[in-house]
Amino acid sequence: MKKAFIFDLDGVIVDTAKYHFLAWQKIAQALHINFTQEHNELLKGVSRVRSLDIILELGNVEASQEDKDKWLIQKNEDYLSYLVDMDESEILPGVFKILQLLKDKNQGIALGSASKNARPILEKTGILSYFDAIVDGNDVSKAKPDPEVFLKAAQLLHIDPKNAIVFEDSVAGIQAANSAEMVSIGIGEKTILHEADYIFNDFTFVDENFIDKLIN
Ligand code: BG6
Ligand code: MG
C-alpha cells in the first residue's frame, strides 16, 4: 500500500537546531535576555516570527514592529551564514538509508517544515530529488501545532491523512501530526516527545521491519 511519509526538516533531516540556537542567542544577548538550550526547546518547530515573540516574552521585553522586523532579518542573515558551507555530511545518521528504503518501496515522500529556508537546505545537502512534495514555511498560514503543513503535504501526495506518517523532533510537530490523525513518530528524547505514537533516538534505530509494519 502506498503511504505518505512526511519528514520535518530541522532536527530530523539536518541538525540545524544548533544554528537556529546560535543565531537566536546573539539577538537575545544583545537584548540582555537569558536564553538557554532549554529555552531553545520551545522554539523547535515554531515559526521565525513566533520564535522572536517567545524570546521577547522570556525577557519581558516589549518592542516595536520596526525593531522586531530588524531582528528577524538579523537572525536569518546570521542563520544563513552558518549554512554557507552546508553539504551532505550534515544529514543526520540513518536518514539517507530511510529515504532510499522508502523510494525502493515506492512510498510517497514529502517535506513538512516550518522553515522558509527548506529548499536551499535540501539542495545543498543533495536530497531534494527524494521528495515528491515539499510544504514549507512559505506555503502555510498556520504554524505547528496546527496540522495545516502536514495536511497540505498529504494532499499534494494524493494520500489520505489517515495513511500518513510524520517524523518530527518537536513537541509542536508531534501535536500537529496527532491532530491531523496521522501516525506520529518522534525523533529524539522520550521525555520530551512522549505524545508521539512511536519514539526513536535517531533514524539508525528505525529498521526495515518497522517501515514494513507502517506500510501494511
Ligand atoms: C523550524 C525550526 O523547522 O523552522 C524552528 O524548528 C525555526 O526553529 C522554523 O524557527 C523557521 O525556520 P526559518 O528557517 O524560516 O527561520
Ligand atoms: Mg524540527
Side-chain angles (χ1 to χ4, degrees):
M1 182 174 185
K2 189 163 182 167
K3 300 250 173 149
F5 286 83
I6 307 173
F7 292 76
D8 173 47
L9 176 71
D10 295 306
V12 168
I13 292 177
V14 277
D15 186 13
T16 41
K18 60 186 180 203
Y19 302 139
H20 281 294
F21 176 65
L22 291 172
W24 281 128
Q25 209 180 32
K26 274 191 203 158
I27 300 288
Q29 265 165 5
L31 297 171
H32 306 289
I33 298 171
N34 177 36
F35 178 64
T36 64
Q37 293 270 13
E38 272 112 75
H39 292 138
N40 194 49
E41 222 37 64
L42 301 169
L43 308 190
K44 288 190 178 171
V46 174
S47 73
R48 199 181 307 164
V49 170
R50 179 71 194 125
S51 297
L52 177 61
D53 284 339
I54 292 174
I55 291 171
L56 295 177
E57 281 162 24
L58 283 171
N60 266 322
V61 172
E62 288 199 19
S64 65
Q65 195 52 51
E66 203 185 339
D67 276 341
K68 286 192 196 178
D69 291 344
K70 187 181 72 191
W71 297 329
L72 287 169
I73 292 170
Q74 272 174 15
K75 186 270 171 177
N76 198 49
E77 282 175 355
D78 193 38
Y79 174 66
L80 290 176
S81 74
Y82 294 110
L83 305 186
V84 171
D85 298 324
M86 182 172 240
D87 60 21
E88 64 177 48
S89 66
E90 302 230 12
I91 300 278
L92 284 165
V95 171
F96 265 123
K97 184 195 72 186
I98 291 298
L99 287 172
Q100 193 54 53
L101 199 65
L102 294 173
K103 265 275 169 270
D104 294 345
K105 293 178 187 288
N106 196 29
Q107 297 299 302
I109 304 177
L111 191 84
S113 167
S115 173
K116 295 189 172 179
N117 297 304
R119 274 178 190 270
I121 291 175
L122 294 179
E123 276 167 21
K124 277 172 172 293
T125 52
I127 55 169
L128 183 65
S129 62
Y130 279 102
F131 292 85
D132 307 308
I134 292 173
V135 183
D136 66 20
N138 301 295
D139 307 310
V140 293
S141 54
K142 287 172 259 162
K144 299 170 191 175
D146 190 280
E148 183 185 10
V149 62
F150 297 140
L151 291 172
K152 273 202 170 171
Q155 196 180 23
L156 285 175
L157 294 174
H158 307 291
I159 290 174
D160 194 281
K162 282 191 204 72
N163 291 319
I165 296 105
V166 171
F167 295 106
E168 255 294 346
D169 72 314
S170 73
V171 176
I174 294 294
Q175 290 169 342
N178 289 345
S179 59
E181 293 185 42
M182 298 175 172
V183 175
S184 58
I185 303 184
I187 301 293
E189 284 179 41
K190 272 203 171 73
T191 47
I192 298 172
L193 302 173
H194 54 85
E195 288 173 63
D197 296 322
Y198 304 92
I199 307 168
F200 297 94
N201 265 321
D202 64 49
F203 277 104
T204 61
F205 295 95
V206 182
D207 63 16
E208 188 167 358
N209 279 343
F210 178 70
I211 295 291
D212 287 340
K213 205 171 86 181
L214 293 169
I215 294 172
N216 298 312

